[in-house]
Amino acid sequence: MAWALVSAIKDRLSSFITSEFTSIANVEGEVQKLESKFHTIQAMLNDAEKRQVKEEAVKLWLDKLKDVSYLMDDVLDEWNTAMIKAEIEKQQKDDEEKAETSSAAKKRKVWPLISVPILLQHRDFAHKIKELNEKLDEIDKEGEKYEFVLTRGNEEVERPRTTSFVDVSEILGRDKVRDDLVSILLGKGSEEVRNPHVISLVGMGGIGKTTLAQLAYNDNEVQAHFEIKVWVCVSDPFDQCKVAKEILESIEGQSPLTTLQSLLDRICDKVRGKKFFLVFDDMWTEDFAKWEPFRDALKNCGSQSSKVLVTTRKDEVAWMMESANMIKLQELLEEDCWSMFSKIAFFDKDPQQCEQLEDLGRQISKKCKGLPLAAKTLGSLMRLKKSTDDWKNVLNSNLWELEYVERGLFAPLLLSYYDLSAPLRRCFSFCAVFPKDYVFPSDELVFMWMAQGYIKSKKNVEIEIIARDYFENLAVRSFFQDFERDENDGKIKKCKMHDIVHDFAQLMSKDVCFTINSNIELETDYKTARHLELEILKEAQFPESIYSAKNLHTLIFVNRSDYMLSTLFWHFRCLRILTLDFKSGGTVWNLPDAVENFIHLRYLKLVNYCGDALPETICNLCNLQILNIKIDGKKFQKLPQGMSKLINLRHFDLGFKDGFLNVKFPRGFGRLTSLRTLCSFSVNGKDDSERCKLGELINLNHLKTLEISGLGSVVDECEAMNAQLKKKINLHTLTLIFKELDGEEIIREQDALVLNALEPPSNLEYLRILYYEAPIMFPNWMMSLTNLKELGIYYSSLECLPPLGKLPFLKSLKMRAIRRLKKLGVEFMGIEESEKKEKGDIIIPLFPNLISIEFWGCDEWEEWNGIEEEEDCIRRFIIMPRLQDLKIFSCHELKSLPNFLRTTPLQKLQISYCRILEEHCKRGTGKEWPKISHIPNILIRGIFVQRDGREYESKPKFYLMGVDIAQEQLLWFMRGNLEYPQKILQLDLQKSLTMSYLAHLIVDLGNENQIGVAAFPRDGAC
């Protein structure tokens, strides 16, 4: 990590020497001296970083070096910021001059090249550089006594050789243990009766406890057996309120309760009389007093068949929890360990290579000592090593001699860590700031790395692409796991980090990364802290000891809405990353003006922001690259007037928790030419002379993701053409929101003209159109989108769908709440009359790559026709040859399915709340059954009628057919979304609701992104 930091500083110094400002400030000589010293010291670092693990004196020397490097980074950044601000001011003055009407006035106005404040900044900068030179002199001299081996470290980050990952999801050598655990959970065989019935999985870190628990938790029989299932990551320290809150939120969503007793009482109410399965993952505390309230609460409220599963590294925890069953996991047998290691290490290698390396591989595998995590980590490392010499170097490394509290794990992780390039080490270590079991959104993580300056730039390559390669590199090496992938391109959207890997990251960033996520005050000195995640329960006392962290670069502040932010802002002025995540239910708050103090800030994220505006001073953050705001409530009205000063802004994401708001965008947005993401750009406004118009987009040619709202209110065809979307050749994701429904059924013919004028580039991949109120949609450009992968049309007055069958790469099609649609036929597939009549052997593919299609809430839809039964006509067309998944929800008038479904390779069909179609699709007797009988998995109203090609009887998990649902059933129906739609929250949940009514209600909510249920899955927003 020290190598990466020093390398980054050296690069900045090199570029700084060549700038004109060093000569202006009279510091060129001092800066050159600094660069030379950093170069000398850098040669020592490769040896020093490895020796710090065993030699405390070396570690202290490295800490001093890192402190000076951080200070140097801040000083250079301050200077760079001053120059950017000077450039912005110069541009503003130039604009003012152009606006002058009198040429005489222009002559009278003279701006000095260098102002007095700038000269004072020069003097201050020179003084700081001299001080840092003196400090570095001392560190350099001290380093000589350690006689470091001088080497050149690895600074280059290679692109991952492959994006494919080896599937090691199965557990080798654990079949019997898994079967025994599932058997205990299901209550098979004789067992001791205890309440609650606790089962403990005990074993050292990395031995596979959590993986085994996950397999049992997700087992089909276990899922069907228990009515309520909850997974909680506990870790250390054991915070009773936090754990209880997580249990309750897993059952019913967010809870306003904060005291332990109220939380436990509520949990009891929810599980009373039911079979529940509760997992406490990674339990550490041996203090019975902390477990006792949970034991007593669960003792008498749940069914006798309920189970509690605990994973822990300590026998004492299992005894303290009075476990009825204790399963001790042993190391893998040598052959099982070799199988896991070799499966990963030999992936992509030819048989001859594998044979040559097998003997070395078996020796390395033995060093894993039967630990699955070690086998996986080392296998991932050796997969990247091609030569015999590389394998010998790993086998003979002196790192194997190190001891660690988790036997056998430290050395494999260190080997992988030191094999990383310097920038990658820094990126990995940064992950320690997040708590255990944290779900990393991959895009958010790479943006944070960018904000910290960890990404080494390359000529003509976007920094986001390089950062993404960093992430993929770490993922390939097994530093991340539990991947959630994008269904279209397979990219990792979210992931986790194994507990032991997280422990290792914390070890490598000791005294730098801190996480405070409980109300337990820790006696810690934060003076050396650079990254802090702070999560405090509402009633807990704020830990003022963190104010000693004056040089903090990252602050992720969660869950305290009534704290005076201006006090916080006063103490932390070196921040590069600031996240303020105020959970729902907090008081109304506005970001204070003091936000402008964060002159180094690159990344600002505001979650559940419920103020009415942002302060104008936010526009002084000229280094800001990422601005992400999620609005809570209806108060937010407008963005600051000076947004055009944020010239380094690359990603701007303005989202809303409740539908869409009419937010006023200031003019001048078109100056933000660095933008890659712009969501949601609003052109609403009654006053045409003041509102931000689509012409502002004309020069934003780096845009990759764009969302525009308000198109149906004031925009005409001419204005739409001014956006020049077609010229934005980098644009791959586009969302067009015409206007939110205001409760009236309307037709807006103008929408068709506006849509036609908003022609995107032909390489667009993802397109969503919302609240389009023209009766037809046939833009001239639709068929030119030859790279389009996903299309969604939502909440529309369309009477027919556009001809989409000829789009060659369309994979996903989603149609929701197309209210006036009555019929789908050959025109939807793109079949022309002339093609039907032609004779010959030419085969025409329609929807050749479509994998999933979804219709939802099309109330008037009656017919979905295929093609004529004439044999010649059928033979001419191949329709949806790759279709895997078809969903039809709340289409009450639909009577039949198209005949071509018989020839598709459909794997799953789901039909819900389509009363006529459900009757016609009854197994064996329905008139539509012959069209769908070949589909292996068919669900009607959430019930499998056919599973894996066989008749199947199951209980509905998310639906109760025609039966009223009570409060807890409604919440179960909406489980998976912690922030329920406001309209549903306002219902009197004590009254019963029919599922049919609820389905209609959800259609009317106007924001499908708020729905997170099995039948109506969440659709990704911008």
mmCIF file of all heavy atoms in Angstrom, residues 169 171 174 177-186 199 201 208-226 229 231 277 279 309 311 327:
data_model
loop_
_atom_site.group_PDB
_atom_site.id
_atom_site.type_symbol
_atom_site.label_atom_id
_atom_site.label_comp_id
_atom_site.label_asym_id
_atom_site.label_seq_id
_atom_site.Cartn_x
_atom_site.Cartn_y
_atom_site.Cartn_z
ATOM 1 N N SER A 169 -18.982 -23.462 -6.563
ATOM 2 C CA SER A 169 -20.078 -23.274 -5.615
ATOM 3 C C SER A 169 -20.365 -24.540 -4.818
ATOM 4 O O SER A 169 -20.831 -24.478 -3.689
ATOM 5 C CB SER A 169 -21.343 -22.840 -6.367
ATOM 6 O OG SER A 169 -21.650 -23.760 -7.392
ATOM 7 N N ILE A 171 -19.635 -27.817 -2.557
ATOM 8 C CA ILE A 171 -18.683 -28.062 -1.471
ATOM 9 C C ILE A 171 -18.115 -29.457 -1.643
ATOM 10 O O ILE A 171 -18.841 -30.443 -1.607
ATOM 11 C CB ILE A 171 -19.363 -27.955 -0.096
ATOM 12 C CG1 ILE A 171 -19.861 -26.531 0.119
ATOM 13 C CG2 ILE A 171 -18.412 -28.331 1.002
ATOM 14 C CD1 ILE A 171 -20.451 -26.307 1.476
ATOM 15 N N ARG A 174 -17.961 -32.400 1.644
ATOM 16 C CA ARG A 174 -18.870 -31.997 2.720
ATOM 17 C C ARG A 174 -20.284 -32.577 2.545
ATOM 18 O O ARG A 174 -21.210 -32.138 3.216
ATOM 19 C CB ARG A 174 -18.983 -30.468 2.771
ATOM 20 C CG ARG A 174 -17.678 -29.736 3.025
ATOM 21 C CD ARG A 174 -17.263 -29.818 4.472
ATOM 22 N NE ARG A 174 -16.233 -28.857 4.804
ATOM 23 C CZ ARG A 174 -15.189 -29.113 5.560
ATOM 24 N NH1 ARG A 174 -15.021 -30.335 6.066
ATOM 25 N NH2 ARG A 174 -14.314 -28.173 5.835
ATOM 26 N N VAL A 177 -21.883 -34.003 5.800
ATOM 27 C CA VAL A 177 -22.161 -32.946 6.783
ATOM 28 C C VAL A 177 -23.374 -32.136 6.350
ATOM 29 O O VAL A 177 -24.245 -31.798 7.154
ATOM 30 C CB VAL A 177 -20.932 -32.022 6.960
ATOM 31 C CG1 VAL A 177 -21.209 -30.947 7.986
ATOM 32 C CG2 VAL A 177 -19.722 -32.831 7.384
ATOM 33 N N ARG A 178 -23.431 -31.806 5.053
ATOM 34 C CA ARG A 178 -24.570 -31.036 4.546
ATOM 35 C C ARG A 178 -25.874 -31.798 4.737
ATOM 36 O O ARG A 178 -26.874 -31.245 5.203
ATOM 37 C CB ARG A 178 -24.361 -30.722 3.064
ATOM 38 C CG ARG A 178 -25.494 -29.919 2.425
ATOM 39 C CD ARG A 178 -25.396 -29.952 0.920
ATOM 40 N NE ARG A 178 -25.453 -31.317 0.425
ATOM 41 C CZ ARG A 178 -24.885 -31.737 -0.696
ATOM 42 N NH1 ARG A 178 -24.206 -30.887 -1.440
ATOM 43 N NH2 ARG A 178 -24.984 -32.997 -1.077
ATOM 44 N N ASP A 179 -25.861 -33.085 4.379
ATOM 45 C CA ASP A 179 -27.076 -33.893 4.516
ATOM 46 C C ASP A 179 -27.501 -34.012 5.973
ATOM 47 O O ASP A 179 -28.701 -33.961 6.292
ATOM 48 C CB ASP A 179 -26.855 -35.285 3.919
ATOM 49 C CG ASP A 179 -26.672 -35.252 2.404
ATOM 50 O OD1 ASP A 179 -27.015 -34.208 1.801
ATOM 51 O OD2 ASP A 179 -26.172 -36.239 1.833
ATOM 52 N N ASP A 180 -26.526 -34.179 6.869
ATOM 53 C CA ASP A 180 -26.853 -34.279 8.299
ATOM 54 C C ASP A 180 -27.475 -32.973 8.802
ATOM 55 O O ASP A 180 -28.443 -32.990 9.573
ATOM 56 C CB ASP A 180 -25.576 -34.578 9.106
ATOM 57 C CG ASP A 180 -25.080 -36.001 8.900
ATOM 58 O OD1 ASP A 180 -25.845 -36.816 8.342
ATOM 59 O OD2 ASP A 180 -23.935 -36.287 9.279
ATOM 60 N N LEU A 181 -26.926 -31.841 8.365
ATOM 61 C CA LEU A 181 -27.434 -30.551 8.812
ATOM 62 C C LEU A 181 -28.869 -30.332 8.321
ATOM 63 O O LEU A 181 -29.745 -29.919 9.097
ATOM 64 C CB LEU A 181 -26.525 -29.423 8.303
ATOM 65 C CG LEU A 181 -26.976 -27.984 8.595
ATOM 66 C CD1 LEU A 181 -27.181 -27.767 10.090
ATOM 67 C CD2 LEU A 181 -25.974 -26.981 8.043
ATOM 68 N N VAL A 182 -29.121 -30.626 7.058
ATOM 69 C CA VAL A 182 -30.473 -30.467 6.508
ATOM 70 C C VAL A 182 -31.447 -31.384 7.242
ATOM 71 O O VAL A 182 -32.576 -30.995 7.560
ATOM 72 C CB VAL A 182 -30.478 -30.748 4.985
ATOM 73 C CG1 VAL A 182 -31.915 -30.854 4.455
ATOM 74 C CG2 VAL A 182 -29.720 -29.664 4.249
ATOM 75 N N SER A 183 -31.009 -32.581 7.543
ATOM 76 C CA SER A 183 -31.857 -33.536 8.256
ATOM 77 C C SER A 183 -32.246 -33.002 9.633
ATOM 78 O O SER A 183 -33.407 -33.112 10.054
ATOM 79 C CB SER A 183 -31.119 -34.875 8.395
ATOM 80 O OG SER A 183 -31.914 -35.810 9.078
ATOM 81 N N ILE A 184 -31.282 -32.414 10.347
ATOM 82 C CA ILE A 184 -31.570 -31.832 11.670
ATOM 83 C C ILE A 184 -32.560 -30.682 11.539
ATOM 84 O O ILE A 184 -33.508 -30.557 12.321
ATOM 85 C CB ILE A 184 -30.270 -31.357 12.343
ATOM 86 C CG1 ILE A 184 -29.356 -32.543 12.668
ATOM 87 C CG2 ILE A 184 -30.575 -30.579 13.627
ATOM 88 C CD1 ILE A 184 -27.954 -32.145 13.087
ATOM 89 N N LEU A 185 -32.346 -29.839 10.536
ATOM 90 C CA LEU A 185 -33.233 -28.689 10.339
ATOM 91 C C LEU A 185 -34.661 -29.118 10.046
ATOM 92 O O LEU A 185 -35.622 -28.473 10.476
ATOM 93 C CB LEU A 185 -32.705 -27.807 9.195
ATOM 94 C CG LEU A 185 -31.416 -27.040 9.469
ATOM 95 C CD1 LEU A 185 -30.884 -26.388 8.197
ATOM 96 C CD2 LEU A 185 -31.626 -25.986 10.548
ATOM 97 N N LEU A 186 -34.801 -30.206 9.307
ATOM 98 C CA LEU A 186 -36.141 -30.690 8.953
ATOM 99 C C LEU A 186 -36.768 -31.546 10.047
ATOM 100 O O LEU A 186 -37.916 -31.993 9.910
ATOM 101 C CB LEU A 186 -36.077 -31.485 7.644
ATOM 102 C CG LEU A 186 -35.612 -30.703 6.400
ATOM 103 C CD1 LEU A 186 -35.520 -31.624 5.196
ATOM 104 C CD2 LEU A 186 -36.548 -29.540 6.118
ATOM 105 N N ILE A 199 -28.421 -25.029 16.677
ATOM 106 C CA ILE A 199 -27.434 -25.888 16.024
ATOM 107 C C ILE A 199 -26.213 -25.030 15.747
ATOM 108 O O ILE A 199 -26.334 -23.933 15.173
ATOM 109 C CB ILE A 199 -27.971 -26.445 14.684
ATOM 110 C CG1 ILE A 199 -29.328 -27.114 14.890
ATOM 111 C CG2 ILE A 199 -26.978 -27.398 14.038
ATOM 112 C CD1 ILE A 199 -30.254 -26.978 13.720
ATOM 113 N N LEU A 201 -22.452 -24.608 13.966
ATOM 114 C CA LEU A 201 -21.389 -25.045 13.065
ATOM 115 C C LEU A 201 -20.100 -24.405 13.555
ATOM 116 O O LEU A 201 -19.973 -23.177 13.561
ATOM 117 C CB LEU A 201 -21.668 -24.572 11.635
ATOM 118 C CG LEU A 201 -22.742 -25.308 10.833
ATOM 119 C CD1 LEU A 201 -22.916 -24.646 9.470
ATOM 120 C CD2 LEU A 201 -22.369 -26.761 10.641
ATOM 121 N N GLY A 208 -15.249 -23.130 5.766
ATOM 122 C CA GLY A 208 -16.467 -23.351 4.988
ATOM 123 C C GLY A 208 -17.754 -23.348 5.784
ATOM 124 O O GLY A 208 -18.769 -23.870 5.314
ATOM 125 N N LYS A 209 -17.750 -22.737 6.976
ATOM 126 C CA LYS A 209 -18.964 -22.741 7.816
ATOM 127 C C LYS A 209 -20.109 -21.979 7.154
ATOM 128 O O LYS A 209 -21.236 -22.468 7.041
ATOM 129 C CB LYS A 209 -18.653 -22.105 9.180
ATOM 130 C CG LYS A 209 -17.563 -22.787 9.972
ATOM 131 C CD LYS A 209 -17.339 -22.123 11.311
ATOM 132 C CE LYS A 209 -16.837 -20.699 11.210
ATOM 133 N NZ LYS A 209 -15.530 -20.565 10.554
ATOM 134 N N THR A 210 -19.801 -20.755 6.701
ATOM 135 C CA THR A 210 -20.849 -19.924 6.104
ATOM 136 C C THR A 210 -21.362 -20.534 4.810
ATOM 137 O O THR A 210 -22.566 -20.529 4.544
ATOM 138 C CB THR A 210 -20.312 -18.500 5.852
ATOM 139 O OG1 THR A 210 -19.949 -17.922 7.109
ATOM 140 C CG2 THR A 210 -21.362 -17.620 5.187
ATOM 141 N N THR A 211 -20.459 -21.088 4.008
ATOM 142 C CA THR A 211 -20.876 -21.709 2.749
ATOM 143 C C THR A 211 -21.816 -22.879 3.004
ATOM 144 O O THR A 211 -22.834 -23.038 2.327
ATOM 145 C CB THR A 211 -19.641 -22.189 1.964
ATOM 146 O OG1 THR A 211 -18.727 -21.100 1.828
ATOM 147 C CG2 THR A 211 -20.025 -22.692 0.591
ATOM 148 N N LEU A 212 -21.485 -23.685 4.016
ATOM 149 C CA LEU A 212 -22.336 -24.813 4.365
ATOM 150 C C LEU A 212 -23.695 -24.332 4.878
ATOM 151 O O LEU A 212 -24.752 -24.874 4.516
ATOM 152 C CB LEU A 212 -21.636 -25.670 5.428
ATOM 153 C CG LEU A 212 -22.332 -26.979 5.833
ATOM 154 C CD1 LEU A 212 -22.497 -27.896 4.633
ATOM 155 C CD2 LEU A 212 -21.548 -27.682 6.928
ATOM 156 N N ALA A 213 -23.675 -23.295 5.703
ATOM 157 C CA ALA A 213 -24.926 -22.732 6.214
ATOM 158 C C ALA A 213 -25.781 -22.176 5.077
ATOM 159 O O ALA A 213 -27.011 -22.329 5.066
ATOM 160 C CB ALA A 213 -24.633 -21.633 7.239
ATOM 161 N N GLN A 214 -25.147 -21.548 4.083
ATOM 162 C CA GLN A 214 -25.887 -21.014 2.934
ATOM 163 C C GLN A 214 -26.538 -22.134 2.133
ATOM 164 O O GLN A 214 -27.679 -21.994 1.672
ATOM 165 C CB GLN A 214 -24.946 -20.203 2.035
ATOM 166 C CG GLN A 214 -24.550 -18.853 2.603
ATOM 167 C CD GLN A 214 -23.459 -18.181 1.788
ATOM 168 O OE1 GLN A 214 -22.702 -18.844 1.078
ATOM 169 N NE2 GLN A 214 -23.356 -16.868 1.918
ATOM 170 N N LEU A 215 -25.808 -23.231 1.945
ATOM 171 C CA LEU A 215 -26.377 -24.367 1.203
ATOM 172 C C LEU A 215 -27.614 -24.908 1.911
ATOM 173 O O LEU A 215 -28.635 -25.206 1.275
ATOM 174 C CB LEU A 215 -25.338 -25.478 1.058
ATOM 175 C CG LEU A 215 -24.347 -25.361 -0.100
ATOM 176 C CD1 LEU A 215 -23.442 -26.565 -0.132
ATOM 177 C CD2 LEU A 215 -25.065 -25.209 -1.425
ATOM 178 N N ALA A 216 -27.521 -25.015 3.234
ATOM 179 C CA ALA A 216 -28.672 -25.508 3.999
ATOM 180 C C ALA A 216 -29.815 -24.502 3.957
ATOM 181 O O ALA A 216 -30.987 -24.868 3.788
ATOM 182 C CB ALA A 216 -28.256 -25.782 5.441
ATOM 183 N N TYR A 217 -29.493 -23.238 4.086
ATOM 184 C CA TYR A 217 -30.512 -22.175 4.108
ATOM 185 C C TYR A 217 -31.292 -22.140 2.795
ATOM 186 O O TYR A 217 -32.506 -21.913 2.774
ATOM 187 C CB TYR A 217 -29.817 -20.836 4.346
ATOM 188 C CG TYR A 217 -30.732 -19.650 4.559
ATOM 189 C CD1 TYR A 217 -31.265 -19.370 5.810
ATOM 190 C CD2 TYR A 217 -31.038 -18.783 3.508
ATOM 191 C CE1 TYR A 217 -32.080 -18.272 6.024
ATOM 192 C CE2 TYR A 217 -31.857 -17.678 3.705
ATOM 193 C CZ TYR A 217 -32.380 -17.428 4.966
ATOM 194 O OH TYR A 217 -33.186 -16.334 5.167
ATOM 195 N N ASN A 218 -30.585 -22.354 1.676
ATOM 196 C CA ASN A 218 -31.216 -22.283 0.358
ATOM 197 C C ASN A 218 -31.744 -23.615 -0.150
ATOM 198 O O ASN A 218 -32.271 -23.675 -1.267
ATOM 199 C CB ASN A 218 -30.214 -21.710 -0.660
ATOM 200 C CG ASN A 218 -29.856 -20.267 -0.358
ATOM 201 O OD1 ASN A 218 -30.726 -19.462 -0.034
ATOM 202 N ND2 ASN A 218 -28.571 -19.941 -0.442
ATOM 203 N N ASP A 219 -31.597 -24.674 0.631
ATOM 204 C CA ASP A 219 -32.118 -25.974 0.236
ATOM 205 C C ASP A 219 -33.635 -25.893 0.010
ATOM 206 O O ASP A 219 -34.365 -25.265 0.786
ATOM 207 C CB ASP A 219 -31.806 -27.004 1.338
ATOM 208 C CG ASP A 219 -32.297 -28.389 0.988
ATOM 209 O OD1 ASP A 219 -31.570 -29.122 0.316
ATOM 210 O OD2 ASP A 219 -33.441 -28.714 1.389
ATOM 211 N N ASN A 220 -34.118 -26.501 -1.073
ATOM 212 C CA ASN A 220 -35.543 -26.402 -1.417
ATOM 213 C C ASN A 220 -36.452 -26.914 -0.305
ATOM 214 O O ASN A 220 -37.479 -26.301 0.009
ATOM 215 C CB ASN A 220 -35.822 -27.175 -2.710
ATOM 216 C CG ASN A 220 -35.263 -26.465 -3.936
ATOM 217 O OD1 ASN A 220 -35.104 -25.254 -3.931
ATOM 218 N ND2 ASN A 220 -34.940 -27.227 -4.976
ATOM 219 N N GLU A 221 -36.065 -28.047 0.294
ATOM 220 C CA GLU A 221 -36.899 -28.603 1.371
ATOM 221 C C GLU A 221 -36.911 -27.678 2.585
ATOM 222 O O GLU A 221 -37.954 -27.485 3.225
ATOM 223 C CB GLU A 221 -36.383 -29.993 1.769
ATOM 224 C CG GLU A 221 -36.748 -31.102 0.801
ATOM 225 C CD GLU A 221 -36.434 -32.468 1.400
ATOM 226 O OE1 GLU A 221 -37.288 -33.010 2.137
ATOM 227 O OE2 GLU A 221 -35.319 -32.965 1.137
ATOM 228 N N VAL A 222 -35.755 -27.119 2.908
ATOM 229 C CA VAL A 222 -35.670 -26.199 4.049
ATOM 230 C C VAL A 222 -36.501 -24.945 3.781
ATOM 231 O O VAL A 222 -37.236 -24.461 4.650
ATOM 232 C CB VAL A 222 -34.194 -25.825 4.342
ATOM 233 C CG1 VAL A 222 -34.109 -24.713 5.378
ATOM 234 C CG2 VAL A 222 -33.421 -27.055 4.814
ATOM 235 N N GLN A 223 -36.416 -24.416 2.561
ATOM 236 C CA GLN A 223 -37.202 -23.231 2.198
ATOM 237 C C GLN A 223 -38.696 -23.494 2.360
ATOM 238 O O GLN A 223 -39.442 -22.642 2.825
ATOM 239 C CB GLN A 223 -36.896 -22.826 0.752
ATOM 240 C CG GLN A 223 -35.544 -22.170 0.564
ATOM 241 C CD GLN A 223 -35.525 -20.724 1.036
ATOM 242 O OE1 GLN A 223 -36.413 -19.946 0.746
ATOM 243 N NE2 GLN A 223 -34.499 -20.376 1.791
ATOM 244 N N ALA A 224 -39.132 -24.676 1.947
ATOM 245 C CA ALA A 224 -40.567 -25.002 2.034
ATOM 246 C C ALA A 224 -40.991 -25.322 3.467
ATOM 247 O O ALA A 224 -42.154 -25.134 3.837
ATOM 248 C CB ALA A 224 -40.876 -26.189 1.122
ATOM 249 N N HIS A 225 -40.065 -25.787 4.292
ATOM 250 C CA HIS A 225 -40.391 -26.269 5.634
ATOM 251 C C HIS A 225 -40.685 -25.136 6.615
ATOM 252 O O HIS A 225 -41.561 -25.255 7.472
ATOM 253 C CB HIS A 225 -39.219 -27.111 6.154
ATOM 254 C CG HIS A 225 -39.459 -27.753 7.496
ATOM 255 N ND1 HIS A 225 -40.307 -28.813 7.677
ATOM 256 C CD2 HIS A 225 -38.954 -27.448 8.729
ATOM 257 C CE1 HIS A 225 -40.316 -29.155 8.955
ATOM 258 N NE2 HIS A 225 -39.503 -28.342 9.614
ATOM 259 N N PHE A 226 -39.939 -24.021 6.477
ATOM 260 C CA PHE A 226 -40.075 -22.932 7.453
ATOM 261 C C PHE A 226 -40.910 -21.793 6.885
ATOM 262 O O PHE A 226 -40.805 -21.437 5.720
ATOM 263 C CB PHE A 226 -38.690 -22.407 7.858
ATOM 264 C CG PHE A 226 -37.862 -23.405 8.616
ATOM 265 C CD1 PHE A 226 -36.870 -24.135 7.978
ATOM 266 C CD2 PHE A 226 -38.081 -23.619 9.969
ATOM 267 C CE1 PHE A 226 -36.106 -25.061 8.665
ATOM 268 C CE2 PHE A 226 -37.323 -24.545 10.675
ATOM 269 C CZ PHE A 226 -36.327 -25.274 10.023
ATOM 270 N N LYS A 229 -37.848 -17.170 7.478
ATOM 271 C CA LYS A 229 -36.411 -17.454 7.426
ATOM 272 C C LYS A 229 -35.641 -16.133 7.491
ATOM 273 O O LYS A 229 -35.954 -15.188 6.754
ATOM 274 C CB LYS A 229 -36.053 -18.198 6.132
ATOM 275 C CG LYS A 229 -36.670 -19.586 6.054
ATOM 276 C CD LYS A 229 -36.570 -20.194 4.688
ATOM 277 C CE LYS A 229 -37.513 -19.531 3.715
ATOM 278 N NZ LYS A 229 -38.930 -19.734 4.028
ATOM 279 N N TRP A 231 -31.595 -14.379 7.947
ATOM 280 C CA TRP A 231 -30.137 -14.524 7.990
ATOM 281 C C TRP A 231 -29.546 -13.219 8.513
ATOM 282 O O TRP A 231 -29.801 -12.159 7.960
ATOM 283 C CB TRP A 231 -29.595 -14.830 6.601
ATOM 284 C CG TRP A 231 -28.113 -15.055 6.556
ATOM 285 C CD1 TRP A 231 -27.125 -14.128 6.746
ATOM 286 C CD2 TRP A 231 -27.435 -16.297 6.301
ATOM 287 N NE1 TRP A 231 -25.882 -14.700 6.637
ATOM 288 C CE2 TRP A 231 -26.043 -16.030 6.360
ATOM 289 C CE3 TRP A 231 -27.848 -17.595 6.038
ATOM 290 C CZ2 TRP A 231 -25.088 -17.017 6.147
ATOM 291 C CZ3 TRP A 231 -26.898 -18.578 5.828
ATOM 292 C CH2 TRP A 231 -25.538 -18.291 5.888
ATOM 293 N N PHE A 277 -36.741 -20.071 10.986
ATOM 294 C CA PHE A 277 -35.362 -20.523 10.850
ATOM 295 C C PHE A 277 -34.477 -19.276 10.882
ATOM 296 O O PHE A 277 -34.531 -18.436 10.006
ATOM 297 C CB PHE A 277 -35.184 -21.282 9.534
ATOM 298 C CG PHE A 277 -33.772 -21.753 9.253
ATOM 299 C CD1 PHE A 277 -32.867 -22.011 10.289
ATOM 300 C CD2 PHE A 277 -33.335 -21.949 7.947
ATOM 301 C CE1 PHE A 277 -31.578 -22.446 10.031
ATOM 302 C CE2 PHE A 277 -32.049 -22.384 7.674
ATOM 303 C CZ PHE A 277 -31.169 -22.633 8.711
ATOM 304 N N VAL A 279 -30.622 -17.681 11.292
ATOM 305 C CA VAL A 279 -29.186 -17.942 11.192
ATOM 306 C C VAL A 279 -28.412 -16.777 11.786
ATOM 307 O O VAL A 279 -28.597 -15.622 11.372
ATOM 308 C CB VAL A 279 -28.760 -18.149 9.723
ATOM 309 C CG1 VAL A 279 -27.249 -18.402 9.648
ATOM 310 C CG2 VAL A 279 -29.520 -19.303 9.094
ATOM 311 N N LEU A 309 -29.583 -21.532 13.724
ATOM 312 C CA LEU A 309 -28.296 -22.044 13.263
ATOM 313 C C LEU A 309 -27.229 -20.978 13.497
ATOM 314 O O LEU A 309 -27.415 -19.814 13.143
ATOM 315 C CB LEU A 309 -28.364 -22.399 11.774
ATOM 316 C CG LEU A 309 -27.073 -22.909 11.129
ATOM 317 C CD1 LEU A 309 -26.607 -24.212 11.774
ATOM 318 C CD2 LEU A 309 -27.271 -23.096 9.618
ATOM 319 N N THR A 311 -23.033 -19.993 13.157
ATOM 320 C CA THR A 311 -21.681 -20.320 12.697
ATOM 321 C C THR A 311 -20.695 -19.562 13.579
ATOM 322 O O THR A 311 -20.877 -18.373 13.845
ATOM 323 C CB THR A 311 -21.459 -19.933 11.222
ATOM 324 O OG1 THR A 311 -21.425 -18.519 11.093
ATOM 325 C CG2 THR A 311 -22.548 -20.491 10.333
ATOM 326 N N ILE A 327 -21.885 -29.210 15.316
ATOM 327 C CA ILE A 327 -21.210 -29.854 14.191
ATOM 328 C C ILE A 327 -19.859 -29.195 14.019
ATOM 329 O O ILE A 327 -19.776 -27.996 13.732
ATOM 330 C CB ILE A 327 -22.041 -29.720 12.899
ATOM 331 C CG1 ILE A 327 -23.410 -30.371 13.075
ATOM 332 C CG2 ILE A 327 -21.301 -30.325 11.711
ATOM 333 C CD1 ILE A 327 -24.365 -30.138 11.921
#
